[in-house]
Amino acid sequence: MTVTLHVCTTCRAGQPVAEGDATPGLRLHAALAADAPEGVTVRPVECLSACSQGCAVALSAPGRWSYVYGRLAEADAPAILEGAAAYAGASDGIVPWRERPEIFRKQSLARLPPIGEMP
């Protein structure tokens, strides 16, 4: 099953961006899309509403927990892709804590249950 890595392309990461220059979020998207692992679709999105948290990404797939991560940068692309590959390999979206890249352990902003999940 393919999972989706949503990348906020409008994120400015608290930096001024001159007219015509790529935002930090757009640069992060380009770095992730260039080397996405099998089973991961990288999709640009306009906003993830994590503006005060730097660049943000979200991982989701039907029937799985979804996650939002922030305080990311283009340099974090390899670790983000490592985490996305681990997420793709987890049937419920829950990757064991110690198997997550450090940025996924420390920079998680939200975790959402699968749609239709009962308490």
Side-chain angles (χ1 to χ4, degrees):
M1 170 188 291
T2 298
V3 303
T4 303
L5 176 61
H6 308 271
V7 184
C8 178
T9 58
T10 56
C11 284
R12 294 176 175 264
Q15 302 172 14
V17 177
E19 184 70 31
D21 286 351
T23 62
L26 196 56
R27 292 193 310 267
L28 176 59
H29 174 267
L32 294 168
D35 200 22
E38 186 174 334
V40 176
T41 298
V42 178
R43 175 167 292 144
V45 295
E46 289 289 316
C47 184
L48 288 172
S49 291
C51 301
S52 65
Q53 299 296 321
C55 290
V57 302
L59 277 168
S60 65
R64 297 180 189 211
W65 283 82
S66 297
Y67 294 85
V68 180
Y69 300 98
R71 300 179 301 280
L72 303 171
E74 185 178 355
D76 296 317
I80 295 167
L81 292 173
E82 175 189 338
Y87 179 85
S91 63
D92 58 3
I94 301 175
V95 177
W97 181 258
R98 294 190 193 283
E99 294 176 24
R100 298 176 193 172
E102 185 174 355
I103 61 168
F104 278 17
R105 292 192 307 257
K106 294 187 174 186
Q107 293 169 218
S108 177
L109 302 179
R111 181 175 102 136
L112 306 164
I115 292 175
E117 182 83 1
M118 299 304 292

